[in-house]
Amino acid sequence: MKFIPLNQFNTFLLTGGLAASVNFISRFLFEIWFSFSTSVILAYICGMITAYFLAKIYVFRDSVQTKFKSIFFFVCVNLFAVTQTWLISMGLVIKIFPYIGFNIFEKEVAHAIGIVIPVFTSYFGHKRWSFSK
């Protein structure tokens, strides 16, 4: 079997997929104690911590950014991404899905869509600022 090397973006997608899974699954746990809205934010933080370590170890290995700057910019990029995730998730659950009559796993579908949307902005933000060369 021949090994197919992954480029940086594909590796980002794989590690981001794992972090997104942490995000998505942890929301169910948070929803035991918190509202959907709060759970989306708390779950995003869990996914973000996972994503930082996976990105640093597997995706942006050539980064020369100091740890402090790397974490600072990582948080900044993710503040933008969590805003996207929250707005999309809440907008779908509160406005769009009721309007179109979609009511099957609406929170799960809305949250999954909210998680996927910031993939490209996050990749370029992390490449440019969080883990710059």
Side-chain angles (χ1 to χ4, degrees):
M1 179 194 271
K2 190 174 183 180
F3 175 74
I4 300 171
L6 296 172
N7 68 29
Q8 189 179 50
F9 183 71
N10 289 337
T11 305
F12 179 80
L13 288 177
L14 287 173
T15 60
L18 180 57
S21 297
V22 168
N23 180 338
F24 188 76
I25 293 167
S26 66
R27 194 208 85 227
F28 292 102
L29 297 173
F30 287 121
E31 249 187 314
I32 294 170
W33 301 283
F34 302 101
S35 69
F36 175 71
S37 177
T38 301
S39 296
V40 167
I41 300 296
L42 294 173
Y44 192 91
I45 292 168
C46 292
M48 185 174 80
I49 292 167
T50 304
Y52 176 81
F53 288 106
L54 292 175
K56 181 141 182 70
I57 294 167
Y58 296 108
V59 182
F60 301 107
R61 293 181 292 223
D62 299 337
S63 174
V64 295
Q65 193 75 280
T66 67
K67 190 171 287 198
F68 175 77
K69 280 186 175 180
S70 178
I71 291 170
F72 174 78
F73 285 120
F74 194 86
V75 169
C76 289
V77 168
N78 277 286
L79 285 173
F80 180 69
V82 74
T83 301
Q84 289 176 299
T85 298
W86 186 83
L87 288 172
I88 290 162
S89 298
M90 296 306 295
L92 288 170
V93 165
I94 293 170
K95 297 284 185 191
I96 305 298
F97 289 169
Y99 180 76
I100 64 172
F102 182 81
N103 58 6
I104 303 169
F105 299 109
E106 60 271 9
K107 288 180 181 176
E108 291 76 14
V109 172
H111 189 209
I113 292 169
I115 290 170
V116 170
I117 296 298
V119 167
F120 295 102
T121 56
S122 293
Y123 173 73
F124 291 111
H126 294 316
K127 183 174 177 131
R128 173 80 168 95
W129 295 295
S130 306
F131 301 106
S132 64
K133 292 183 184 181

